[in-house]
Structures are given as structure tokens and as C-alpha cells.
């Protein structure tokens, strides 16, 4: 969809049910699209086994990285 996704606790977020079903050791998740003017090329993602691992500053940093990759 081209939108970012930030989940501080996947056990409390219904969008992350498939991650829980896979028994992956993930509790926190940040996914940001890598996009150009024309298309979404992929994503930059961070995950962590502990709840609440990422804060707003981390999310902004991931956005900055994804934007730079999209410009390359």
C-alpha cells in the first residue's frame, strides 16, 4: 500500500497475526516502504524480540534510510 507500519507489541495487534502463527521471536516491528515517484520497490524493516523496542526517533531514522535508498 506504500504505507509504513509500526507495531510496538505484535501480540496486541491483529495485523501481525501471521507473524505469531509462524512462532517467530518478534514482538516489535517497523516496516517502511522504499519508494520512487512511480513505484514501491521494497521495504526496510526492523524487528526485535522485545516489546516496545523502537521509538519515534528510530522510526524516523528508518524513514530517512528508506527515502535515501529510493532516491539512489
Amino acid at each position: 500500500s506504500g504505507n509504513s507500519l509500526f507495531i510496538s507489541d505484535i501480540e496486541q495487534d491483529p495485523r501481525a497475526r501471521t507473524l505469531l502463527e509462524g512462532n517467530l521471536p518478534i514482538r516489535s516491528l517497523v516496516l517502511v516502504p522504499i519508494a520512487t515517484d512511480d513505484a514501491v520497490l521494497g521495504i526496510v524493516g526492523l524487528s526485535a524480540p522485545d516489546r516496545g523496542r523502537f521509538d519515534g526517533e528510530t522510526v524516523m531514522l528508518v524513514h530517512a534510510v528508506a527515502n535515501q535508498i529510493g532516491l539512489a
Side-chain angles (χ1 to χ4, degrees):
S1 71
N3 295 321
S4 299
L5 178 63
F6 170 57
I7 300 173
S8 63
D9 185 355
I10 67 166
E11 289 184 353
Q12 303 301 318
D13 194 310
R15 298 173 294 177
R17 259 195 201 114
T18 56
L19 293 173
L20 292 172
E21 291 169 0
N23 293 319
L24 297 172
I26 297 173
R27 287 291 294 271
S28 299
L29 182 66
V30 178
L31 299 173
V32 177
I34 300 169
T36 65
D37 290 336
D38 301 328
V40 174
L41 304 175
I43 61 167
V44 174
L46 298 177
S47 63
D50 46 329
R51 177 178 39 145
R53 174 68 175 91
F54 307 114
D55 59 13
E57 188 174 318
T58 303
V59 174
M60 288 183 355
L61 178 62
V62 175
H63 271 277
V65 169
N67 288 338
Q68 288 298 310
I69 293 170
L71 293 173

